[in-house]
């Protein structure tokens, strides 16, 4: 059976790696993001690897309820959704300014960019999730349990949302989990920060007990497990994929 797999932020970084990892099952993909260009690049890579693969592209700012509604309507024209990977997010609260207005703007940006991007599309697609058998996987971060200001707080809110949704959807046979990566530099998330200050990478690696960064493929492997039919009795889990960063440095 061809599963319909929705991946937000599927044009770059971890979302793109998830699409490549799940390509093996010849699914029907719906990739969502703000920039059509990067979504088209991922779609071209997927079609080059598997000319039979179905890919639809949906541009939307997932913080915007109207745009989310439109994207959800497009996605569900073709039917139900089997796997929903809520990966879009990032560190948005890094603007300048120390006044209260700047602090409020920074916290709102991280909340909108990580929590609303997760919650709104999930809410819109909830009636269309395959039941039983649906799989929802959010992209959290080790930052949720390590501090990291507004970004970590926003990812902690994603964790809390996972727990409440997992409970709410359990009787429908739908699982809801998250993956919590640590430092994965081969992403747009880190590209500009590492370019601006190459020391950033060293300082991050020093916090990782396993002594090396992660790869997008390692994160995608964890998502693939939670998305699999075999993971049907695993729900409400935040899977730490960060080389032991969650444990702290001994
Ligand atoms: N890389 C890491 O070390 C790391 C560690 C822990 C957690 N994470 C999390 O992993 C997820 C993926 O990030 P990444 O590392 O792969 O970085 P990335 O390459 O920057 O990917 C983020 C993706 O999300 C999309 N996106 C962001 N805001 C959006 C919005 N409002 N509406 C629609 N799409 C949006 C972006 O596409 P557009 O700009 O085209 O919209 C982009 O494709 C994020 O949730 C991030 O917080 C990353």
């Amino acid at each position: 059976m061809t599963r319909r797999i929705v991946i937000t932020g599927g044009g770059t970084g971890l979302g793109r790696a998830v699409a490549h990892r799940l390509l093996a099952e010849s699914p029907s993909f719906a990739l969502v993001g703000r920039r059509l260009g990067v979504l088209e690049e991922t779609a071209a890579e997927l079609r080059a690897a598997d000319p039979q693969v179905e890919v639809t592209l949906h541009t939307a700012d997932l913080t915007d309820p109207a745009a989310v509604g439109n994207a959800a309507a497009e996605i569900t024209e073709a039917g139900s959704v089997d796997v929903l990977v809520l990966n879009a997010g990032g560190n948005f609260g890094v603007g300048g300014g120390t006044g209260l207005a700047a602090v409020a703007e920074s916290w709102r940006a991280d909340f909108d960019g990580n929590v609303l991007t997760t919650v709104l599309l999930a809410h819109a697609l909830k009636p269309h999730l395959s039941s039983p058998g649906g799989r929802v996987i959010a992209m959290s971060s080790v930052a949720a349990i390590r501090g990291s200001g507004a970004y970590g707080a926003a990812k902690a809110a994603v964790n809390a949302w996972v727990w409440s949704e997992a409970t709410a959807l359990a009787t429908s046979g739908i699982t809801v989990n998250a993956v919590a990566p640590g430092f994965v530099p081969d992403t747009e998330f880190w590209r500009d920060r590492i370019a601006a200050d190459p020391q950033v990478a060293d300082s991050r690696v020093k916090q990782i007990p396993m002594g090396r960064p992660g790869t997008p493929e390692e994160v995608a492997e964890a998502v693939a497990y939670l998305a699999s039919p075999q993971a049907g009795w695993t729900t409400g889990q935040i899977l730490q994929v960060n080389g032991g960063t969650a444990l702290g440095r001994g």
Side-chain angles (χ1 to χ4, degrees):
M1 190 197 78
T2 302
R3 293 199 300 173
R4 179 86 166 138
I5 298 178
V6 178
I7 305 176
T8 69
T12 66
L14 304 183
R16 184 176 60 191
V18 169
H20 279 282
R21 172 60 183 80
L22 297 179
L23 183 62
E25 68 174 79
S26 292
S28 165
F29 284 115
L31 306 180
V32 189
R34 290 168 300 188
R35 290 168 294 162
L36 182 60
V38 291
L39 296 176
E40 285 177 334
E41 284 170 24
T42 298
E45 292 169 8
L46 296 170
R47 290 185 185 117
D50 176 359
Q52 305 303 321
V53 71
E54 289 172 28
V55 190
T56 61
L57 306 181
H58 310 272
T59 52
D61 180 343
L62 295 173
T63 67
D64 175 355
V68 171
N70 291 338
E74 289 172 14
I75 290 166
T76 55
E77 257 174 32
S80 57
V81 170
D82 300 296
V83 179
L84 174 57
V85 182
L86 299 159
N87 160 78
N91 204 335
F92 302 106
V94 288
T98 54
L100 284 179
V103 172
E105 189 184 346
S106 162
W107 277 73
R108 285 200 183 101
D110 268 327
F111 188 86
D112 286 2
N114 290 286
V115 184
L116 291 189
T117 51
T118 300
V119 169
L120 292 179
L121 187 64
H123 187 84
L125 293 180
K126 193 164 15 182
H128 305 277
L129 291 172
S130 298
S131 173
R135 300 277 181 267
V136 179
I137 302 104
M139 199 59 78
S140 182
S141 168
V142 70
I145 55 171
R146 297 262 297 176
S148 304
Y151 175 69
K155 291 300 193 186
V158 169
N159 291 357
W161 175 83
V162 164
W163 295 322
S164 63
E165 287 299 290
T167 307
L169 294 177
T171 55
S172 305
I174 297 167
T175 66
V176 185
N177 294 286
V179 171
F183 178 55
V184 184
D186 191 12
T187 54
E188 289 190 355
F189 185 93
W190 285 106
R191 187 185 59 194
D192 292 349
R193 281 183 279 174
I194 290 173
D197 178 4
Q199 299 298 320
V200 166
D202 285 347
S203 74
R204 289 284 155 174
V205 170
K206 283 195 180 103
Q207 297 170 31
I208 304 172
M210 295 192 83
R212 67 166 177 86
T215 66
E217 290 72 26
E218 287 171 314
V219 176
E221 199 61 38
V223 173
Y225 166 65
L226 293 170
S228 70
Q230 292 77 11
W233 213 43
T234 300
T235 197
Q237 299 305 303
I238 313 297
L239 180 52
Q240 303 291 328
V241 181
N242 42 54
T245 311
L247 305 170
R249 195 85 203 191

